[in-house]
Amino acid sequence: MIRSLGRRRLVTGTLATAAVAAPFLQVRGAPLAFPSDPWTLGVASGAPTPDGVVLWTRLAPRPLEGGGMPGDTVEVDWQVAEDEGFARVAARGTARAAAASAHTVHVEVTGLRPARPYWYRFRAGPAVSPVGRTRTAPAPGARTDTLRLALASCQQYEHGYYAAYRDMAQREFDLVVHVGDYIYERSWGRNPVRHHGTGVPTTLDEFRTRYALYRLDPDLQAAHAAFPWLSTWDDHEVMDDYANDRSYTVRDAERFLKIRAAAYRAYWEHLPLPARARPNGPDATLYAHYRFGDAMDIVLLDDRQYRSPPACVAGGRPGSVASCDERTDERRTMLGAAQEAWFADRMRAASTRWTVVAQQTLVAELAGPAKDGERRYWMDGWDGYPNARRRLLETIASARPRNPLVLGGDRHAFFAADLARDPARPEGPVVATEFVGSSITSQGPDPAALQRAVAANPQVRFGRGDRRGYVSVELGVKRAAVGFEAVDDPTQRDSAVRRLATFAVEDGVAGVRRA
Ligand code: FE
Ligand code: CA
């Protein structure tokens, strides 16, 4: 098949073949030599707009030993072409890869045409990178009958191989949406198939090494090289269950914010993010809005950086506990006031068929069954912030964007849920439909406990925590088709991936339907 050959070449383009096929026209600067292949971490693209995209790479001949780059700043030429053979180059330029940014490269390409594929590559000295493929967004309002996205989250490296990404890279998507836990800071779980090999990162160099380890995975590289990504973070990019400047493991806020600054910086460096998301110390504006023709408005939220401390746990780990007055305090926030106001503006301005809210975790209430007469709430999720959740859903209900779809991750389980205007009153009208991806690899909750919780929360229409995978979403004219794509065996790199369940959301009708 010609198509699969094309994809294979995407990730295995070599210096020799690429250079012979279409050499870069310019040679600049002093001769540059690398001790070995500098493109060990692959190439990536992200933040697609109708006329541009962010291109990413990092020069790292020795990725697990600080990068191994000679010298300080290196000039990197880049090309974007309309064809895989680079016969029709649409844009080119030179970027600087500086030691201060771990020799990462972020190029914000502009001047491209909407809704079409492009191929890109980099060159530093004699070394030409593998070729990546990307796709620009359709022009605002342009008729877009189908838009396909893949939803990913939670990829604990030690828990399995990235068969989910291998499967994703072999299919056709316009976009990957990643909603967090791109790395994990610590080792946990049963029967690891591979090891981090280093301890919990707290410095910038240590976080960079963790990203390099994850990004060395060929299947993750393939998914980055095949599609543009939009991404937001959850807790494990910094520290388990942190909230704003609070962490139950590092109690000193000043020290924790230093770690958060290093973690945010390394995240920005290693993902194809635009310059506006670049952190300033421990702060970064990651929440963002994108529009794809007449098909999709998508907002990506950041529910970690600005949230109130976990309720009812007195600074301890926010587990599943009984409620208390703190949980239902009206002032508690998940998004912070500025992001809440921005979100309301975006919902009022949404003008496409599908309005996607990509956030970290499960929005639907999933309170544990009563134990000693009291229900238990997962204080790290929206159940720990019920008034913030009510405001989020009331904003959607009153702004009335078309077909709101909420996407999430974090829980290491597949969920499909009907979202009522107030989830504490699930009998009310459904205002949005929610789908939560399981995890690419991260081990899930106890299946029996999850089934009991799902049974006690009827608005959660589907819940499975025993399978890893991702979610495919095809936004059509009359309906959205949603597939839960499950990995047979995450301990096998070549594991098959099969459809576990299929749902449809009809235009104008909020709520989960099995298809
Ligand atoms: Fe996770
Ligand atoms: Ca998480």
Side-chain angles (χ1 to χ4, degrees):
M1 269 167 46
I2 290 166
R3 284 198 149 179
S4 64
L5 277 174
R7 282 197 199 88
R8 192 171 302 273
R9 277 167 57 200
L10 279 180
V11 290
T12 57
T14 63
L15 168 60
T17 56
V20 168
F24 282 86
L25 295 176
Q26 296 168 283
V27 177
R28 58 172 77 229
L32 187 64
F34 299 104
S36 56
D37 174 25
W39 314 107
T40 56
L41 303 179
V43 299
S45 72
T49 61
D51 78 332
V53 69
V54 174
L55 305 181
W56 178 94
T57 193
R58 179 183 168 191
L59 294 157
R62 297 205 176 93
L64 302 181
E65 297 154 47
M69 278 295 291
D72 181 18
T73 296
V74 173
E75 289 194 329
V76 180
D77 295 329
W78 55 269
Q79 288 181 326
V80 177
E82 295 181 351
D83 64 304
E84 198 176 347
F86 290 83
R88 297 190 306 279
V89 172
R92 59 155 51 96
T94 301
R96 292 160 68 82
S101 296
H103 294 98
T104 58
V105 175
H106 294 75
V107 180
E108 296 196 15
V109 182
T110 58
L112 303 181
R113 293 195 283 147
R116 61 151 299 144
Y118 285 96
W119 286 261
Y120 61 94
R121 64 185 177 182
F122 301 90
R123 192 197 62 183
V128 179
S129 77
V131 172
R133 182 185 62 179
T134 190
R135 188 172 186 88
T136 48
R143 182 175 163 174
T144 306
D145 287 350
T146 307
L147 192 75
R148 295 152 302 183
L149 60 94
L151 170 70
S153 64
C154 295
Q155 50 201 45
Q156 219 284 6
Y157 179 86
E158 300 171 309
H159 290 185
Y161 294 103
Y162 295 152
Y165 280 129
R166 193 208 66 238
D167 183 75
M168 196 188 284
Q170 290 170 351
R171 291 176 53 179
E172 293 289 341
F173 291 104
D174 297 295
L175 186 67
V176 173
V177 178
H178 197 288
V179 291
D181 292 356
Y182 187 94
I183 60 161
Y184 280 74
E185 85 287 12
R186 71 186 64 231
S187 304
W188 56 281
R190 311 168 298 276
N191 307 322
V193 301
R194 47 187 177 174
H195 295 278
H196 284 148
T198 51
V200 176
T202 57
T203 67
L204 179 54
D205 283 346
E206 289 165 352
F207 278 108
R208 286 169 170 168
T209 299
R210 183 58 51 88
Y211 279 94
L213 177 71
Y214 279 54
R215 192 62 79 76
L216 279 168
D217 184 281
D219 296 317
L220 177 56
Q221 281 193 20
H224 275 294
F227 315 111
W229 284 41
L230 293 176
S231 53
T232 184
W233 49 40
D234 193 30
D235 55 333
H236 289 287
E237 285 86 353
V238 182
M239 204 166 278
D240 182 39
D241 289 355
Y242 82 94
N244 196 328
D245 60 353
R246 306 288 184 95
S247 160
Y248 71 88
T249 45
V250 177
R251 299 291 186 107
D252 180 74
E254 206 175 313
R255 179 166 140 65
F256 175 71
L257 285 176
K258 286 205 176 93
I259 296 170
R260 193 178 99 175
Y264 281 11
R265 170 86 190 183
Y267 180 85
W268 184 84
E269 286 177 349
H270 288 85
L271 283 152
L273 290 162
R276 69 180 137 70
R278 187 180 181 133
N280 178 14
D283 306 312
T285 305
L286 203 58
Y287 57 87
H289 165 260
Y290 292 84
R291 179 169 290 164
F292 290 76
D294 67 358
M296 177 174 79
D297 278 282
I298 181 170
V299 294
L300 291 113
L301 302 184
D302 174 359
D303 81 11
R304 283 287 162 191
Q305 190 175 177
Y306 315 102
R307 64 162 70 184
S308 305
C312 316
V313 293
R317 186 167 188 211
S320 191
V321 301
S323 193
C324 70
D325 288 348
E326 188 184 5
R327 189 181 80 95
T328 53
D329 188 325
E330 189 61 47
R331 292 165 299 183
R332 288 175 61 68
T333 183
M334 252 324 214
L335 305 178
Q339 188 179 186
E340 269 191 36
W342 169 89
F343 175 76
D345 286 345
R346 294 274 62 83
M347 289 299 102
R348 284 191 288 266
S351 63
T352 56
R353 283 196 306 284
W354 304 96
T355 308
V356 173
V357 178
Q359 48 82 56
Q360 283 67 28
T361 185
L362 175 72
V363 172
E365 183 169 293
L366 190 67
K371 200 160 142 189
D372 309 325
E374 279 183 311
R375 303 194 78 189
R376 288 170 184 267
Y377 296 88
W378 181 250
M379 293 299 177
D380 186 59
W382 286 97
D383 277 355
Y385 302 79
N387 288 312
R389 173 171 56 194
R390 182 183 46 72
R391 291 195 299 275
L392 180 92
L393 291 165
E394 282 181 350
T395 295
I396 292 172
S398 61
R400 296 175 58 87
R402 259 178 94 179
N403 297 317
L405 299 178
V406 175
L407 304 179
D410 175 55
R411 302 299 294 264
H412 307 175
F414 286 110
F415 290 110
D418 295 338
L419 294 175
R421 185 181 182 116
D422 181 356
R425 295 181 179 78
E427 66 283 1
V430 174
V431 300
T433 317
E434 175 168 40
F435 298 97
V436 170
S438 182
S439 54
I440 295 291
T441 53
S442 305
Q443 290 168 5
D446 172 58
L450 184 83
Q451 283 320 308
R452 283 196 298 276
V454 169
N457 293 271
Q459 71 283 8
V460 177
R461 308 281 301 279
F462 181 98
R464 282 281 293 271
D466 58 331
R467 301 297 299 277
R468 315 279 66 85
Y470 68 98
V471 180
S472 63
V473 181
E474 182 171 319
L475 303 176
V477 174
K478 293 280 177 213
R479 69 182 57 82
V482 176
F484 287 175
E485 317 291 356
V487 175
D488 274 356
D489 181 357
T491 70
Q492 302 299 318
R493 194 182 282 284
D494 61 355
S495 169
V497 176
R498 280 178 240 272
R499 181 68 60 90
L500 178 68
T502 306
F503 304 90
V505 180
E506 304 295 329
D507 180 30
V509 186
V512 174
R513 305 276 181 280
R514 278 303 275 267

